[in-house]
Amino acid sequence: MTGKLPQVGTTIFTVMSRRARELDALNLGQGFPDYDIDPRLTELVAEAMRGGHNQYAPMEGVLALRERIAAKLLRVYGRAIDPESEITVTLGATEAIFSAIQAAVGAGDEVIAFDPAYDSYEPAVRLAGARCLRLPLVQPGFRYDWERVRAALNARTRLILFNSPHNPACTTAQSADLEALAELIDGRDVAVLSDEVYEHVVFDGGQHHSVLTHPALAPRSFAVFSFGKTLHATGLRVGYCVAPPELTRELRKVHQFNTFSIAHPLQHAIAAYLTEQPDCGEGLAAFFQAKRDRLRGALAGSGFGLPPAQGTYFQLLDFSAFARADDLEFAERLLTEARVATIPLSPFYAVAERLPFVRLCIAKRDGTLDEAAARLNAFAQRLKAA
Ligand code: GLN
């Protein structure tokens, strides 16, 4: 059988994690913390199971959880969102992205994404029968070229995939970017899917500009969020999608046949956790900024370049001082020679750009970051000596 995604292999995240295990390398590739979660969350999960929340959850999500989410959205973004008609709990952000795309586009439609684009976007668009147009962010600094977007928009364009803080570029969109996006789609039948899973991880006093805060974008956007990121527990696989009632209705038509409903005890546990700690997201920027700065400090004399990281729990490493820009090859050398797993960026491009970057995950214990820096420094020394 040819299948529907003949060009797609196993994701670079899965491949790199598997290789790291095989080689017993430090895994700074796939983005997940290596430290313990808050034990209180563990207790609340056990309590929810003991409390009998072990059968199907409501399709749209446990109402108590959606109410806690709405309270947070009001506090953080100043928007009153209706938990009944505008919030859907999903199987991680990945399901929200997938279901929103299936709901929004079909055969003959076009979707615009920006490269480097998170790897699940285009396959979801293709499975919906639509075409994904990939526009590169511009170097240096992975900037939006809004004139290029204007030129790409046409009568078939139905959806634009937006992502800030950006994985894997580690940049954050500015309010001028949201303005430009809103202006471009004004008067067109185009929706926005905004991947905001790193909403709380914006560094150096910067602000996250959510589409929910933009008066023209909010009424036409699916905004996607993740408890895995906020609660340092990527294995929860609980996320949510915020969208106006018309879009939410369409999203749920797909969600109910895709994942149907999400782990019931986990939803109760997260609702209880948010009741106890409503502002748990608010310390994340300082927490990860300290890790970013620790790693950057430890690599300062290495010869590796460290592009600005404005947000996300990643840091790019620029290896142009040591090798030509073949990131797959360099990531392989880092894995086998430095014994550090990273994520190369070319798998996130439709037309593989020759960029000298690999991505490091900073959501790690300080000891892991120090050990990774020691291995990278030693590897850089060997390269300089060679
Ligand atoms: N979001 C994770 C990352 O960027 C990957 C999750 C996955 O493996 N699908 O590293």
Side-chain angles (χ1 to χ4, degrees):
M1 191 181 79
T2 323
K4 294 178 72 180
L5 295 171
Q7 288 87 4
V8 170
T10 305
T11 76
I12 188 68
F13 306 119
T14 298
V15 168
M16 275 300 185
S17 280
R18 187 193 302 141
R19 297 266 290 131
R21 273 195 304 276
E22 283 165 6
L23 295 169
D24 198 23
L26 273 186
N27 189 357
L28 269 63
Q30 193 177 31
F32 62 87
D34 72 343
Y35 43 82
D36 291 337
I37 66 164
D38 183 346
R40 182 65 189 138
L41 180 58
T42 314
E43 277 169 22
L44 289 169
V45 173
E47 268 175 39
M49 295 194 86
R50 277 196 294 269
H53 299 294
N54 300 309
Q55 309 307 331
Y56 294 134
M59 177 274 277
E60 54 279 74
V62 166
L63 184 58
L65 176 58
R66 288 182 288 134
E67 285 170 349
R68 301 271 52 82
I69 293 169
K72 171 229 139 177
L73 295 170
L74 181 62
R75 199 180 61 252
V76 177
Y77 300 122
R79 281 281 320 282
I81 303 283
D82 176 21
E84 278 290 9
S85 63
E86 299 184 296
I87 298 173
T88 309
V89 179
T90 57
L91 199 139
T94 299
E95 192 245 320
I97 291 164
F98 188 85
S99 292
I101 289 172
Q102 305 312 305
V105 301
D109 293 339
E110 280 187 14
V111 178
I112 292 177
F114 299 96
D115 284 0
Y118 189 64
D119 65 346
S120 82
Y121 297 166
E122 171 147 3
V125 171
R126 290 225 205 146
L127 288 171
R131 175 164 174 260
C132 195
L133 199 72
R134 312 263 299 253
L135 303 179
L137 297 171
V138 181
Q139 293 301 330
F142 300 96
R143 287 167 291 111
Y144 287 94
D145 180 349
W146 291 110
E147 282 318 304
R148 242 182 121 168
V149 183
R150 189 187 305 280
L153 278 170
N154 64 67
R156 291 181 299 279
T157 315
R158 282 288 157 275
L159 186 67
I160 297 184
L161 304 182
F162 196 67
N163 171 215
S164 179
H166 191 283
N167 177 15
C170 310
T171 52
T172 53
Q174 303 308 303
S175 54
D177 293 313
L178 268 66
E179 287 303 331
L181 175 60
E183 189 256 312
L184 280 182
I185 62 175
D186 184 38
R188 291 175 177 272
D189 182 16
V190 176
V192 173
L193 194 165
S194 184
D195 174 351
E196 305 187 11
V197 301
Y198 297 102
E199 62 178 326
H200 297 301
V201 193
V202 176
F203 301 135
D204 306 314
Q207 207 195 328
H208 171 54
H209 298 286
S210 172
V211 291
L212 298 179
T213 62
H214 194 284
L217 291 175
R220 53 207 303 182
S221 294
F222 299 92
V224 173
F225 303 92
S226 158
F227 285 116
K229 307 295 183 295
T230 305
L231 302 178
H232 306 281
T234 58
L236 291 175
R237 311 300 299 128
V238 181
Y240 55 100
C241 182
V242 180
E246 324 73 90
L247 298 187
T248 291
R249 256 194 309 278
E250 296 308 312
L251 170 80
R252 288 179 184 171
K253 289 182 193 174
V254 177
H255 164 76
Q256 68 184 346
F257 296 126
N258 180 8
T259 55
F260 163 47
S261 78
I262 307 309
H264 201 173
L266 295 185
Q267 293 193 61
H268 278 281
I270 296 170
Y273 191 83
L274 295 180
T275 304
E276 292 177 6
Q277 301 194 43
D279 48 10
C280 59
E282 274 139 60
L284 291 186
F287 177 83
F288 288 119
Q289 185 168 325
K291 297 210 174 279
R292 177 200 69 172
D293 292 346
R294 186 180 189 97
L295 185 67
R296 289 178 70 95
L299 290 172
S302 64
F304 285 116
L306 297 165
Q310 300 167 327
T312 76
Y313 56 42
F314 304 109
Q315 166 69 53
L316 295 180
L317 196 65
D318 178 339
F319 58 83
S320 52
F322 299 117
R324 67 196 168 85
D326 183 333
D327 60 344
L328 294 177
E329 189 181 297
F330 200 76
E332 182 64 20
R333 291 195 67 188
L334 286 175
L335 185 63
T336 54
E337 296 174 44
R339 305 184 80 71
V340 177
T342 62
I343 297 290
L345 260 54
S346 52
F348 304 94
Y349 283 84
V351 181
E353 293 228 346
R354 297 247 161 254
L355 293 174
F357 302 124
V358 293
R359 191 196 77 175
L360 302 172
C361 178
I362 59 171
K364 302 292 172 192
R365 288 190 287 257
D366 288 348
T368 308
L369 295 175
D370 295 347
E371 175 61 24
R375 292 184 190 192
L376 292 169
N377 276 315
F379 183 58
Q381 284 303 324
R382 292 203 293 279
L383 291 175
K384 280 181 211 161

